[in-house]
Amino acid sequence: MDSTDQSNLKRNKSEKKLLRKQIKARNTLMRHEGIECVSHTTQSLVVANGGLGNGVNRHQLLRLVEECGLVEALLMPPNKPYSFVKYGSTEEAKKAYDTLNGKEITLEDSNENVTLYVNFVEKVHWEDIIPISLPPGLMMVEELVSPEEEQKMLESIDWTENEVIQNAQKSLKHRRVKHFGYEFRYDNNNVDKDKPLPGGLPEICNTLLETCLKQGYIKHKPDQLTINQYEPGQGIPPHIDTHSAFEDEIISLSLGAEIVMDFKHPDGRTVAVMLPQRSLLVMTGESRYLWTHGITPRKFDIVHASGRQKVGSVTPDVGDLTLNRRGTRTSFTFRKVRRCPCNCTYPSVCDSQQGHQREEAPSFHHSETEASKLEQEYVHKVYEEIATHFSNTRHSPWPQIVEFLRTLPKGSIVADIGCGNGKYLGINKDLYMIGCDRSQNLVDICGEKKFQAFVCDALSVPVRNSSCDACISIAVIHHFSTAERRLAAVRELARLLRPGGKALIYVWAMEQEYNKQKSKYLKEKRASKGKEEEINTDVAWGLFCDQMHDNGSQHSTCSDHVLNDSKDKGSNAKQVINSKLPVHTNRTSFHSQDVLVPWHLKGDTNKKGECVKALQLPAGSKELQEFSPVFHRYYHVFCEGELEAACKTLACIRIQKSYYDQGNWCVVLEKQ
């Protein structure tokens, strides 16, 4: 074989390898991201391995793609290892396809090599950018100090002194820290209020604090200072400053470098906030007491490439994001030590108020009495009415709940709090299981099945402390109408458990589409539509039943409106308080966390002709209501992270596992 043949053979092998890699990238994009590539030439390309998620910054990629033609748009989604580029013509896109496919580049920020793989896409989809608001009570002040003042403050810190901080090795292994005023105790996230450190706050801070007082950024002069220094790649775990330790106002000055701080609400909302160099962060109210804040450990932050937004939230604008290498940042964080218990309006996350019910609950309802009335009307009464029909639709146990029960040791005492018709009470014959439910009719059904069950409220279970090896609470806690009552239900589970005992909790999720997968709750709507198109009298009754209970679709008269002081005596949906609860349309995504979910009670006729007649009746007619009375159940659907956040406020338990299961948020707790 001559040299020409050898060269051709080598080239063919290289081309085949490139094609394999390109096809693999195409399949990966489709499987994980739902991005469909096409074989014909278009104006748009997807560049695999060319994204912010694997270290390619916008400026470097833009230079590469502009060499091939006029670039109309370069879209770089945050944290994704791919980008989209749209050219002015298909000819330019084809040139980029031929030029960049298989091209190895060296990343400017890390000197690592990556290989680009390019495919055509028909159309580039991205969401309209919605401005992200800062958490309530959060304020940013740019350029609070001059560069000269910044330099003096940094030079005033003597890092050569060996400051001994007890109980802090684990917390401080990734950063340097100094305390003034009071020593911070990392074992309990508090300060020793009776032992102030000698010397007070550094003299160089006085001018800064006077400015903050004069400008109204703070109302009281702080008496505690923490100085932290972070090298690139270091961070702070998400946390809320202990309520009982410090007053409302917390301020932090960023020196030396800018950084992005992440804020997260218990309902799952997140906001990335840019803290520019020499800027002041002021946290009060909700942003201080309810949202966690932290700095993710990484060497690069995702920021706006245009620099149009120097401060505030980082909007996920895929057309204007790039990577920014972190520098060494030093923060001066000032707090005022609290001298009396905290009485904030966020008792569910307040260590001063844990175990004490506030007279006025901050969430949704004005009082415990109103919350109890709502639950009585829209939960307890409804389940008594629909118990038999409900039981007939609840016969298939969920696999992961079954697995939890089957892994418990033989002879374990297990309580099913809110057991319904008892479908989990007989799963594992090696366990001693007892059930309880608020519905007498559902408990009677358990008795007919020879299960041990009794009537009680999940907030007050008549079982002695630490008597259960395990508990389960399946689809119960989401029926409580305030955050405090939901937390109380979790606390009651913890009370029943012995040390080392476990509890499994399931609640309905706000997110019925998760990781690009629809839950069965949403999928079955599409299935029912297909059946409706092929309807005939032989299957009419079964289909009618499917439509009428909560596993089926809902007629239009029950959706897209709000129940408010209803006077319809033929429905149980009268208002007991002025709460304006929206009525959810079954088999659709949730648009509100607090909703009424319709239950269409199955008619007691078995005559096929009457069923067909019912299907032909006008929606909302009195005749249809006779066949299928509608009841409404109250639900609070949980956002991602909300259940875990509530559980973490209880010191006696730890979260062993949390997961998403077909439209439900789930946790496994262990009592300490």
Side-chain angles (χ1 to χ4, degrees):
M1 184 181 295
D2 59 25
S3 60
T4 302
D5 292 335
Q6 288 179 342
S7 177
N8 289 335
L9 179 62
K10 187 175 182 180
R11 185 172 64 251
N12 288 337
K13 286 183 177 179
S14 177
E15 289 175 351
K16 288 180 179 179
K17 181 179 179 181
L18 173 60
L19 181 60
R20 287 198 303 271
K21 294 281 190 179
Q22 184 185 13
I23 293 173
K24 182 179 179 182
R26 181 186 305 171
N27 293 336
T28 300
L29 286 167
M30 184 62 192
R31 186 169 63 252
H32 294 294
E33 303 292 341
I35 299 170
E36 185 175 2
C37 301
V38 296
S39 56
H40 58 275
T41 304
T42 68
Q43 289 179 249
S44 300
L45 300 167
V46 58
V47 185
N49 281 347
L52 300 174
N54 62 311
V56 181
N57 71 49
R58 172 174 294 274
H59 305 294
Q60 181 176 13
L61 185 60
L62 186 60
R63 285 198 305 270
L64 281 173
V65 297
E66 283 183 333
E67 291 175 1
C68 302
L70 176 63
V71 175
E72 290 189 355
L74 175 60
L75 308 177
M76 303 186 74
N79 304 313
K80 298 294 185 180
Y82 57 82
S83 298
F84 299 100
V85 56
K86 183 180 180 182
Y87 283 95
S89 67
T90 55
E91 292 77 16
E92 292 168 318
K94 181 64 167 63
K95 181 181 178 182
Y97 178 89
D98 295 332
T99 304
L100 300 179
N101 208 6
K103 184 178 182 62
E104 186 177 78
I105 63 172
T106 301
L107 302 181
E108 293 179 348
D109 296 315
S110 64
N111 293 324
E112 296 180 3
N113 293 334
V114 298
T115 303
L116 306 179
Y117 297 102
V118 182
N119 282 286
F120 290 108
V121 289
E122 193 68 57
K123 190 179 292 185
V124 177
H125 298 280
W126 67 91
E127 296 179 357
D128 293 334
I129 303 304
I130 301 174
I132 299 177
S133 300
L134 292 176
L138 189 69
M139 180 174 61
M140 296 293 306
V141 182
E142 291 187 81
E143 296 290 339
L144 185 71
V145 297
S146 66
E148 293 75 21
E149 291 170 323
E150 174 188 36
Q151 188 62 31
K152 287 181 181 180
M153 294 185 75
L154 291 174
E155 291 175 351
S156 70
I157 310 168
D158 185 2
W159 292 114
T160 61
E161 292 182 0
N162 293 322
E163 186 172 350
V164 178
I165 302 176
Q166 297 179 354
N167 307 304
Q169 284 187 344
K170 185 176 180 180
S171 300
L172 303 180
K173 63 181 180 180
H174 296 305
R175 65 183 191 267
R176 295 199 289 183
V177 66
K178 279 186 173 294
H179 293 285
F180 299 88
Y182 294 85
E183 181 64 69
F184 187 85
R185 293 190 57 85
Y186 289 87
D187 54 343
N188 61 6
N189 293 323
N190 213 315
V191 291
D192 192 338
K193 300 173 184 178
D194 297 323
K195 295 182 179 179
L197 296 172
L201 302 189
E203 182 67 27
I204 198 169
C205 297
N206 288 336
T207 303
L208 169 69
L209 295 179
E210 290 298 330
T211 300
C212 291
L213 286 165
K214 184 177 180 180
Q215 296 296 326
Y217 304 143
I218 55 176
K219 296 178 181 178
H220 307 286
K221 188 173 182 179
D223 53 8
Q224 200 264 352
L225 165 65
T226 301
I227 302 176
N228 284 289
Q229 187 177 87
Y230 307 88
E231 296 298 329
Q234 297 176 345
I236 318 171
H239 67 284
I240 299 174
D241 286 70
T242 308
H243 288 207
S244 64
F246 307 109
E247 294 285 356
D248 184 21
E249 302 162 337
I250 296 177
I251 61 174
S252 184
L253 181 67
S254 295
L255 303 178
E258 63 186 10
I259 204 161
V260 172
M261 179 173 283
D262 299 307
F263 286 78
K264 187 171 184 179
H265 190 278
D267 65 11
R269 284 176 288 155
T270 59
V271 181
V273 179
M274 169 60 77
L275 309 184
Q277 188 174 346
R278 297 186 297 279
S279 68
L280 183 73
L281 172 72
V282 183
M283 291 186 289
T284 61
E286 184 176 313
S287 66
R288 180 266 188 267
Y289 288 121
L290 189 60
W291 293 63
T292 64
H293 63 277
I295 296 174
T296 304
R298 57 191 175 212
K299 293 184 179 180
F300 299 90
D301 281 321
I302 296 175
V303 300
H304 292 122
S306 63
R308 68 171 187 264
Q309 192 170 6
K310 297 288 188 181
V311 65
S313 61
V314 180
T315 304
D317 183 352
V318 295
D320 185 42
L321 294 179
T322 190
L323 297 176
N324 183 54
R325 180 183 284 276
R326 286 182 178 176
T328 300
R329 171 180 175 264
T330 302
S331 65
F332 280 61
T333 302
F334 298 89
R335 306 174 178 91
K336 175 75 172 174
V337 173
R338 188 183 291 278
R339 298 295 176 179
C340 57
C342 177
N343 191 36
C344 67
T345 56
Y346 309 96
S348 63
V349 291
C350 179
D351 61 313
S352 290
Q353 300 178 68
Q354 284 181 7
H356 303 284
Q357 181 65 46
R358 292 175 55 88
E359 292 183 2
E360 292 187 4
S363 61
F364 205 73
H365 302 297
H366 299 298
S367 70
E368 279 288 294
T369 301
E370 289 182 348
S372 180
K373 283 182 179 179
L374 182 136
E375 292 161 18
Q376 174 65 24
E377 187 72 23
Y378 292 104
V379 182
H380 309 324
K381 284 186 178 181
V382 175
Y383 279 102
E384 289 291 30
E385 292 284 348
I386 70 173
T388 301
H389 184 206
F390 177 83
S391 179
N392 290 338
T393 68
R394 297 300 188 271
H395 46 76
S396 299
W398 286 56
Q400 294 201 59
I401 301 172
V402 173
E403 180 65 20
F404 174 82
L405 293 172
R406 287 181 174 167
T407 57
L408 295 174
K410 184 177 181 179
S412 295
I413 298 173
V414 184
D416 184 348
I417 310 301
C419 63
N421 67 348
K423 70 178 180 181
Y424 293 109
L425 294 180
I427 292 295
N428 186 348
K429 303 299 183 183
D430 292 331
L431 305 177
Y432 182 77
M433 291 196 69
I434 57 172
C436 63
D437 199 278
R438 188 63 170 72
S439 168
Q440 178 67 62
N441 289 336
L442 286 172
V443 169
D444 289 344
I445 292 172
C446 292
E448 293 170 5
K449 298 177 181 180
K450 308 302 181 185
F451 295 141
Q452 298 292 324
F454 55 89
V455 176
C456 77
D457 194 303
L459 298 182
S460 182
V461 181
V463 174
R464 75 173 187 269
N465 296 351
S466 306
S467 58
C468 297
D469 298 296
C471 295
I472 61 173
S473 172
I474 311 302
V476 175
I477 293 176
H478 52 216
H479 285 307
F480 289 105
S481 57
T482 67
E484 289 68 39
R485 290 168 71 81
R486 293 188 285 272
L487 181 62
V490 179
R491 187 181 291 114
E492 186 70 353
L493 292 174
R495 182 187 67 80
L496 297 176
L497 291 174
R498 64 166 177 78
K502 298 178 182 179
L504 173 64
I505 301 174
Y506 268 57
V507 293
W508 212 355
M510 180 86 168
E511 299 83 357
Q512 289 298 308
E513 186 170 348
Y514 189 69
N515 286 339
K516 300 185 182 297
Q517 294 291 323
K518 292 182 183 293
S519 68
K520 288 183 179 179
Y521 177 71
L522 294 184
K523 286 180 179 178
E524 287 177 16
K525 180 179 183 180
R526 293 196 304 231
S528 67
K529 284 184 177 179
K531 293 177 184 177
E532 289 169 9
E533 293 172 0
E534 302 173 359
I535 188 167
N536 59 64
T537 55
D538 292 331
V539 297
W541 179 250
L543 177 58
F544 180 61
C545 295
D546 286 344
Q547 290 176 324
M548 290 301 104
H549 63 67
D550 75 334
N551 287 333
S553 60
Q554 172 192 346
H555 12 121
S556 59
T557 56
C558 294
S559 62
D560 302 326
H561 72 282
V562 174
L563 290 180
N564 187 17
D565 299 324
S566 170
K567 297 180 181 179
D568 181 5
K569 296 181 180 179
S571 167
N572 76 314
K574 61 186 178 181
Q575 285 295 79
V576 293
I577 59 172
N578 295 322
S579 55
K580 292 188 178 181
L581 286 168
V583 178
H584 174 62
T585 301
N586 281 325
R587 298 298 175 194
T588 65
S589 298
F590 290 104
H591 301 293
S592 175
Q593 282 193 268
D594 295 281
V595 294
L596 295 178
V597 177
W599 180 281
H600 298 265
L601 188 63
K602 174 180 175 179
D604 56 3
T605 178
N606 289 319
K607 295 180 181 180
K608 191 180 300 182
E610 292 187 5
C611 170
V612 175
K613 177 184 175 183
L615 287 169
Q616 296 171 347
L617 292 172
S621 67
K622 292 182 178 180
E623 291 86 352
L624 183 57
Q625 288 183 13
E626 292 177 3
F627 280 95
S628 175
V630 181
F631 295 86
H632 294 82
R633 296 166 297 159
Y634 168 81
Y635 281 86
H636 172 86
V637 289
F638 281 67
C639 288
E640 182 176 6
E642 184 179 354
L643 179 59
E644 291 98 316
C647 293
K648 287 177 180 177
T649 64
L650 301 181
C652 62
I653 59 175
R654 72 176 184 90
I655 298 177
Q656 191 179 77
K657 179 183 179 183
S658 61
Y659 58 96
Y660 179 88
D661 187 9
Q662 284 298 336
N664 296 273
W665 291 116
C666 323
V667 296
V668 177
L669 308 176
E670 182 179 8
K671 188 170 182 178
Q672 303 283 56

